[in-house]
Structure formats: C-alpha cells, structure tokens
Amino acid sequence: MKRLINIIFWVALLAYYFVAMSFVSLQRGEVICTSVNVTILDSLRSHFVTVHDVVQMIEQSAKKVKGKPLDSINTLKLEHQLVQHAPVQRAEVYKTIDGTLHVNIVQRKPVLRVINRFGESYYLDEEGQALKHSNRYSAHVLVANGYINQRAPGKETFNVWKMESEQGKRILIRELFELALWISDHSFWNAQIQQVYVNADGDFELIPRVGSHIIVFGRFDKADEKFSKLESLYRNGLNVKGWNTYDVINLKYDGQIVCTQR
C-alpha cells in the first residue's frame, strides 16, 4: 500500500509539473516586448558603440521589436546579426518575463590607429580587425602613419590575419599590427613609444615620448632582440649622456646599434 501511495504521489507531482509548465509557457507566449534594455559592458574603456547605435542595429535586423510577442523574437539570430557590425565583438541577447529584451554588448578593443598616405584614418583591434574611425571618439592608442597604402575599410571591413601575400611580398599593415601588439604587451614600451612612422623605404621609425631622437626599427623582425638593445642603451647610455644626445638610433643591424649624434 505504501508503495502504491508513493507511485500515486510522484505521478501527481509530475502531472502538476507539466500542467504548470504548460501554463507558464502559455503565459510567456502572451507576453509582449515592452522595452529594450541595452548595456554597453565596456563603455568606460571605449566609445565606438552607443546605446542608440545598438537600438538602430536591432531595428535594422528585426525591424521594431517593441509590441511583438517575446516568443517571436529570435535572440540567437539577433546576436549573430549584431556581431556582424565591426565595432561589436560579442553580443548577448535574452528575454525576461516582464516583457524586457536585454542586450549586452562588448566592443572591440583598438590597439593601433592607422593614418594612411591618403589621409584616411582607421583602427585595428587586438584581433587584427579593421574599424572605421569615429568622429565622436578617439582611442588613446599607438598611432602609425606615413607610407601606408592599405585603404580604410568601407562597406566591407578586413582582418590583417586573413590577408594573402602577393607573390611573397610583405604585408606591411600586418607587420604594423604585430609591432603594435608587441608594444601593447610590454608596459614600459607601451608608455614610451607613441607613434610609428613608415618611411619611403618601408622601414618603421619609432617616435618616443621622452627624448628628441628617432628610433629606426626597420621591419618587424627580431623584436625581442631590438628592444633589448634599445633598453640597454637607454639604461647605460642615455641615462648618463642625456636623452637628447642622439638624433637617430638605428636598430636595423644585427648585433649593434648605430647612433647619430646631434
């Protein structure tokens, strides 16, 4: 008898569960989207995307969501469409029973601002993705200018890692990006180097914040060795002779530093 009572109890409990779930599901199906709550999770770091921008993206992707039943809004599709916009790195979209559509956005993090030889300006983020320059916001990152041929992204953007070399030629914009990554990963040099100029020969010239010299880096190769030589010169040479002793510090040559005095 006790066993029969237990079976009846669990059957009744399961029946109640399914009835309750059906009721909740029916209720959710009747809930209308009354508001869209957009949160830019890293808004203190970057300002490439605003709440207004995201609302416009949603309206372009799904037309108007307010007034629609929540169950008819495909959150996975919205997430996929939002990350198609270059400044958006990640998007999380979910619904709550009070009729709110929640949208959380993480922006891309720029590491380099490029000003090409045509006067066009754009950014490269930490994944090598090109981002259009924003007139309302300038990121405080390393700047590269000079003889840079890579055009700014238009309707279609680009990623430096996906570029293919033509007949073995160097991909200069990728080397610039790799140099920017290296510098951003080393706190001392990130604080010291403020600009990279690409000269007519394709060599990278580094412009430091301290001192009036130019550092001829050459191509992006042997970065650890070159910066190690430069650090040694800074500590054992410039700290003694003075930071304005040299006009040019050349790191291009193996095993040595060639300095030109003022």
Side-chain angles (χ1 to χ4, degrees), residues 198-214:
V198 182
N199 66 26
D201 295 325
D203 287 334
F204 300 157
E205 298 178 358
L206 312 184
I207 314 298
R209 297 183 189 277
V210 179
S212 54
H213 52 273
I214 293 174

Side-chain angles (χ1 to χ4, degrees), residues 115-206:
I115 304 172
N116 64 22
R117 69 182 185 89
F118 310 105
E120 300 169 341
S121 178
Y122 56 94
Y123 291 95
L124 295 176
D125 85 333
E126 58 190 349
E127 296 178 345
Q129 184 72 32
L131 306 172
K132 290 182 180 180
H133 179 255
S134 172
N135 291 325
R136 65 189 175 213
Y137 169 68
S138 293
H140 297 292
V141 293
L142 185 70
V143 176
N145 66 339
Y147 290 83
I148 303 171
N149 292 323
Q150 181 63 50
R151 304 299 297 254
K155 290 184 178 180
E156 297 295 328
T157 187
F158 63 88
N159 188 298
V160 298
W161 293 122
K162 296 180 180 179
M163 290 181 163
E164 295 183 2
S165 175
E166 295 181 6
Q167 299 178 346
K169 292 182 180 179
R170 66 187 289 209
I171 303 176
L172 188 142
I173 192 68
R174 183 186 294 169
E175 286 188 29
L176 273 175
F177 169 68
E178 291 180 283
L179 176 61
L181 276 186
W182 197 100
I183 291 173
S184 68
D185 285 341
H186 295 77
S187 58
F188 174 77
W189 295 115
N190 193 39
Q192 176 67 7
I193 306 300
Q194 64 177 341
Q195 183 179 345
V196 181
Y197 177 76
V198 182
N199 66 26
D201 295 325
D203 287 334
F204 300 157
E205 298 178 358
L206 312 184

Side-chain angles (χ1 to χ4, degrees), residues 49 53-65 68 72-93 101 103-106 108:
V49 180
D53 294 333
V54 176
V55 171
Q56 283 193 320
M57 292 176 197
I58 293 172
E59 289 181 352
Q60 290 171 359
S61 301
K63 297 183 179 179
K64 291 185 177 180
V65 292
K68 281 187 174 182
S72 70
I73 300 173
N74 188 329
T75 55
L76 290 177
K77 184 178 179 180
L78 265 182
E79 289 176 351
H80 175 74
Q81 290 172 332
L82 285 170
V83 297
Q84 300 308 306
H85 295 267
V88 178
Q89 185 178 43
R90 295 196 309 275
E92 178 189 24
V93 182
L101 181 71
V103 183
N104 293 336
I105 297 292
V106 175
R108 292 188 173 276

